[in-house]
Amino acid sequence: MGDYIVELENVDAGYPGATILRDVSFSVSRGEVFALLGGSGCGKSTIMKHMIGLNPVLAGTLRVAGLEWGPRTRAELCRKIGVMYQSGALFGAMTCLENVMLPLEEFTSLKAAARREKAMALLADVELADAADKMPQEISGGMKKRVAIARAMALEPEVVFLDEPSAGLDPITSSALDDLILKLRRERRTTFVVVTHELASIFKIADRCAMFDKARGGMIALGAPAELRDRSPDAFVRRFFNRGGSNGK
Amino acid sequence: MGLVYSTGRRAASFAASFRDTCAFLGEAFGAMAGVAPRPRSFRFRDFALAFQRAAYEGLAITSGIGLLLGIILAFESAAALRTFGAEVYVSDLLTISLFRELGPLVTAIVLAGRSGSAFAAEIGVMKVDEELDALTTMGLPPVRFLVPPRVFAAVLAMPILTVCAELAGLAGGAGVLQIMGVPVPVFWAHVKGTSDLFMVGFGLFKSCIFGFLVGMIGCGAGLSTKQAADGVGVAATSAVVAGIVAIAVADGLLAVVCHVWGV
Ligand SMILES: Nc1ncnc2c1ncn2[C@@H]1O[C@H](COP(=O)(O)OP(=O)(O)OP(=O)(O)O)[C@@H](O)[C@H]1O
Ligand SMILES: [Mg+2]
């Protein structure tokens, strides 16, 4: 089986009655930072929703930590993953701190003070300790995403899915976020599956990436970013990676 | 061909929504039954907030409507009974109609308008903002997380609100009769004589049933919100409409049951 945390075999992705990507196969190794790339509307969020068990795949098999999503495995798999949605999806009725504390409250036996301390540490990691008592409506889009990342990390999941973490962030925060991802990967061997458009970020953090295309309805490239930039047989893929000049690793 | 096609489509969508409703009911009942063995899983704070909004903040409007109802009923019936010089029986009429029927019914309709729509809108916004997806991937099934606190709040709020509406209605009636020359002590004596524990208790039991229906329908409408610009509005509207229809149907059924039992 290899040490793969996410495996897709001949997966058709989409919604009932609307196949968007056909015959997608790739695997994400443990401890890897894996990027999902492609133009807007090509199906990156769709394929991520399959990976996090929200929508069943239309065909093929998808395994997370060796298990397929199903009623029996759901509870176990949910404990292994953390998710940051494209919109943040913070709970609007709770403060930022309460949002981060919620998974701790529901799934750990930590005392209230310990939960609070841990949640504050997580918020400090994303540099938002001072926004702890704000409501989600009172903070900016980029801040929401960072709170959502803190929430996704709360239970120290094995694999974290991030849907466009750096969209809407300034370059400095965005780069700090990249550093955070690398640090967590180093310290906890957390795996990251990241949807992103930022070339700089791809070259900085991604070990490998998969690229999708809407017109061709499938995956068009798979490999390390630098390798795809220099040696992809596909001119479109090479052009995508060269867009940002030569800011390689 | 077109007719066959559209009929088939409609049947399929009806079947799908029927299946969703059954799934929701099954999950919701399971979730509520699961509170007893695992009280820790109950979101007490959500319950407290929903209860405060339904009961405490709804107290004034419900009592106000009860008061008006009592005044109007007393005026209308007194006008008819005066011809026989029987104004004093207005109190009997008021007691029976408020405790048995109008108290629970009117309170439930107000609850459907205030809390049923609020539940649907709250949960609908959560759905549109992907918050329900976030709950799901955290391993917290949205039905288990969101429905029991709200339904329990509605069920518990109803009897309290109903009692307030009924007392306010009686007070309104007493005021009207006082003006018409029936003293308040006489009014109360009639109220006491006409009402019994069963009548009041059955009215409160009915109000709990109505509260349950409003809570379930509000949450169900919110959970089935469509991802569209007007999705939340449609959900809130359907929560109120379906809630009132369900209240009327349940009231009718309970009336039949009462008739059969002869109470
Ligand atoms: N619920 C749905 N039902 C049917 N089709 C959908 C649904 N949601 C999205 N789509 C379609 O799926 C396609 C892919 O959408 P998706 O959200 O996965 O794109 P994306 O790659 O994440 O784009 P972006 O970078 O803008 O977030 C789009 O063409 C969209 O129209
Ligand atoms: Mg997307």
Side-chain angles (χ1 to χ4, degrees):
Chain A
M1 196 177 71
D3 205 12
Y4 293 126
I5 183 101
V6 185
E7 297 161 276
L8 286 82
E9 281 169 24
N10 312 105
V11 165
D12 281 4
Y15 303 86
T19 307
I20 291 169
L21 296 168
R22 283 181 202 283
D23 200 22
V24 176
S25 303
F26 62 82
S27 304
V28 181
S29 313
R30 260 175 218 280
E32 188 171 40
V33 177
F34 192 92
L36 303 177
L37 317 174
S40 184
C42 75
K44 304 178 297 293
S45 299
T46 304
I47 209 156
M48 194 160 122
K49 281 182 189 157
H50 291 311
M51 293 197 241
I52 60 181
L54 277 181
N55 301 328
V57 293
L58 302 180
T61 47
L62 188 158
R63 280 187 295 270
V64 175
L67 300 170
E68 284 190 52
W69 284 100
R72 294 240 187 88
T73 54
R74 173 163 291 280
E76 185 184 345
L77 282 179
C78 284
R79 291 298 308 272
K80 292 181 191 288
I81 66 168
V83 183
M84 189 215 82
Y85 290 82
Q86 193 161 3
S87 61
L90 298 180
F91 302 117
M94 304 176 184
T95 64
C96 294
L97 183 67
E98 285 166 344
N99 262 284
V100 181
M101 284 199 305
L102 178 70
L104 300 170
E105 201 174 305
E106 292 287 326
F107 294 109
T108 67
S109 49
L110 291 179
K111 290 271 178 302
R115 285 202 300 263
R116 196 182 184 82
E117 195 176 319
K118 170 132 200 213
M120 284 306 293
L122 285 158
L123 281 175
D125 271 347
V126 291
E127 293 168 33
L128 276 180
D130 48 340
D133 292 318
K134 292 219 169 76
M135 299 301 283
Q137 301 86 306
E138 298 168 343
I139 60 177
S140 75
M143 291 161 87
K144 277 185 204 158
K145 288 194 172 186
R146 281 186 283 156
V147 176
I149 292 177
R151 186 178 69 180
M153 302 288 184
L155 294 173
E156 301 183 9
E158 291 177 26
V159 49
V160 177
F161 297 87
L162 307 174
D163 198 345
E164 304 198 7
S166 45
L169 297 189
D170 61 276
I172 294 173
T173 320
S174 164
S175 144
L177 199 62
D178 289 344
D179 292 335
L180 175 69
I181 291 173
L182 291 175
K183 176 178 147 223
L184 287 167
R185 195 261 298 261
R186 205 168 48 236
E187 289 173 0
R188 296 195 194 137
R189 232 168 106 67
T190 311
T191 311
F192 287 89
V193 176
V194 188
V195 174
T196 178
H197 294 293
E198 308 278 321
L199 264 189
S201 166
I202 295 168
F203 281 109
K204 183 168 168 192
I205 63 172
D207 299 305
R208 286 190 309 142
C209 51
M211 192 166 168
F212 305 96
D213 185 59
K214 187 175 187 170
R216 285 183 260 179
M219 188 168 75
I220 55 172
L222 175 67
E227 192 182 309
L228 290 178
R229 178 190 59 199
D230 300 334
R231 283 192 288 280
S232 172
D234 193 319
F236 176 79
V237 175
R238 283 199 308 273
R239 224 175 33 247
F240 177 89
F241 282 100
N242 279 312
R243 200 178 39 172
S246 54
N247 53 349
K249 271 197 177 180
Chain B
M1 247 343 260
L3 186 71
V4 173
Y5 179 74
S6 71
T7 312
R9 260 190 91 108
R10 215 165 289 168
S13 89
F14 179 77
S17 76
F18 181 74
R19 203 186 48 224
D20 289 349
T21 307
C22 290
F24 167 69
L25 287 178
E27 217 184 326
F29 277 111
M32 283 183 284
V35 171
R38 286 178 291 117
R40 230 192 73 117
S41 73
F42 185 64
R43 302 281 307 166
F44 188 78
R45 270 185 36 205
D46 288 1
F47 164 79
L49 189 67
F51 183 76
Q52 181 198 336
R53 292 205 179 132
Y56 180 68
E57 290 169 20
L59 213 55
I61 171 99
T62 316
S63 309
I65 289 181
L67 181 77
L68 282 176
L69 198 68
I71 292 175
I72 294 164
L73 272 179
F75 257 121
E76 298 284 348
S77 50
L81 288 172
R82 178 178 287 169
T83 30
F84 309 107
E87 288 103 322
V88 69
Y89 290 108
V90 167
S91 47
D92 301 55
L93 183 146
L94 215 57
T95 311
I96 295 176
S97 54
L98 278 177
F99 281 141
R100 280 197 77 122
E101 200 53 54
L102 290 176
L105 191 67
V106 168
T107 310
I109 290 175
V110 174
L111 189 83
R114 291 185 71 256
S115 301
S117 58
F119 294 166
E122 270 165 35
I123 298 180
V125 168
M126 291 185 74
K127 175 148 182 187
V128 173
D129 288 351
E130 294 183 309
E131 288 175 40
L132 296 188
D133 289 347
L135 279 176
T136 307
T137 48
M138 265 184 199
L140 300 169
V143 172
R144 199 211 86 193
F145 196 78
L146 300 170
V147 175
R150 289 175 173 77
V151 172
F152 288 155
V155 169
L156 276 184
M158 268 302 287
I160 297 172
L161 291 170
T162 304
V163 166
C164 292
E166 288 167 351
L167 292 181
L170 287 180
V176 170
L177 284 190
Q178 171 82 39
I179 295 167
M180 298 198 166
V182 180
V184 173
V186 177
F187 177 87
W188 280 116
H190 271 260
V191 170
K192 252 190 223 151
T194 323
S195 58
D196 58 40
L197 199 63
F198 176 80
M199 186 199 280
V200 177
F202 186 70
L204 293 184
F205 168 72
K206 271 207 317 200
S207 76
C208 292
I209 303 259
F210 294 164
F212 180 77
L213 290 173
V214 168
M216 288 288 278
I217 290 171
C219 293
L223 287 167
S224 54
T225 302
K226 298 273 180 310
Q227 300 274 6
D230 59 350
V232 177
V234 170
T237 309
S238 75
V240 176
V241 173
I244 291 175
V245 170
I247 291 164
V249 171
D251 202 22
L253 288 178
L254 286 169
V256 172
V257 170
C258 280
H259 180 75
V260 171
W261 276 355
V263 290

